[in-house]
Amino acid sequence: MRKMVKAAVPSHQHIVSKVDLPNRHGLGRMPAMANTRVLQETAVRYFLEVVRSGSISKAAEKLSVASSAVSRQIARLEDELGTPLFDRHARGTVPNAAGELLASYALRMQLETERIGNELLALQGLRRGEGKIACNS
């Protein structure tokens, strides 16, 4: 049974509706929609590296952190989203359907973030009137 509850927060913060949804530990209070702030954190960066490398230990090596740190970040992300993101096997870690969906979205968001940053830098350059002129004398 789902029960809607509005969270009371100051006007400068977002109001998040909460529902009782199953998380990986059973029923719990989960946001109706994932908080977009989650996608800016270390957990998603670590998640994407695990997807790319196919294992937590290889991802940890590439990120220059301990395997336990990567595992903690993945577990935190799974808890926040309320679903497992990987199928874990003896020979590695494979994203499940939810993991594939998140990976696709997170990669698109990384590209869009980079693009908007480049466009803002270009806009700032235009505003200042910066330019280069070369001449032979």
Side-chain angles (χ1 to χ4, degrees):
M1 178 176 168
R2 293 182 179 200
K3 181 170 50 171
M4 293 294 289
V5 178
K6 288 280 185 177
V9 294
S11 61
H12 67 280
Q13 295 179 352
H14 298 289
I15 296 174
V16 177
S17 296
K18 302 252 182 186
V19 293
D20 283 331
L21 294 175
N23 61 24
R24 64 189 199 125
H25 302 294
L27 276 181
R29 309 283 297 164
M30 299 300 300
M33 296 181 354
N35 185 343
T36 54
R37 187 182 83 198
V38 170
L39 297 180
Q40 302 303 318
E41 294 180 0
T42 303
V44 172
R45 189 166 46 92
Y46 287 14
F47 163 78
L48 286 173
E49 191 54 48
V50 173
V51 171
R52 283 184 198 108
S53 64
S55 83
I56 289 175
S57 59
K58 286 180 186 174
E61 186 178 320
K62 174 116 178 157
L63 294 163
S64 300
V65 298
S67 293
S68 60
V70 174
S71 275
R72 271 192 312 273
Q73 290 295 331
I74 298 297
R76 178 176 166 229
L77 190 58
E78 289 174 331
D79 282 342
E80 287 179 5
L81 297 174
T83 185
L85 298 170
F86 292 100
D87 292 328
R88 288 152 173 92
H89 304 286
R91 294 187 178 215
T93 306
V94 179
N96 60 20
E100 290 285 344
L101 182 65
L102 179 60
S104 172
Y105 181 76
L107 288 170
R108 283 194 315 269
M109 291 309 298
Q110 275 185 342
L111 292 172
E112 286 297 314
T113 300
E114 185 177 320
R115 187 174 132 222
I116 190 67
N118 290 337
E119 288 180 14
L120 288 171
L121 287 174
L123 183 61
Q124 289 172 354
L126 290 174
R127 282 182 148 168
R128 292 185 198 140
E130 294 176 4
K132 294 183 181 180
I133 302 174
C135 81
N136 292 330
S137 43

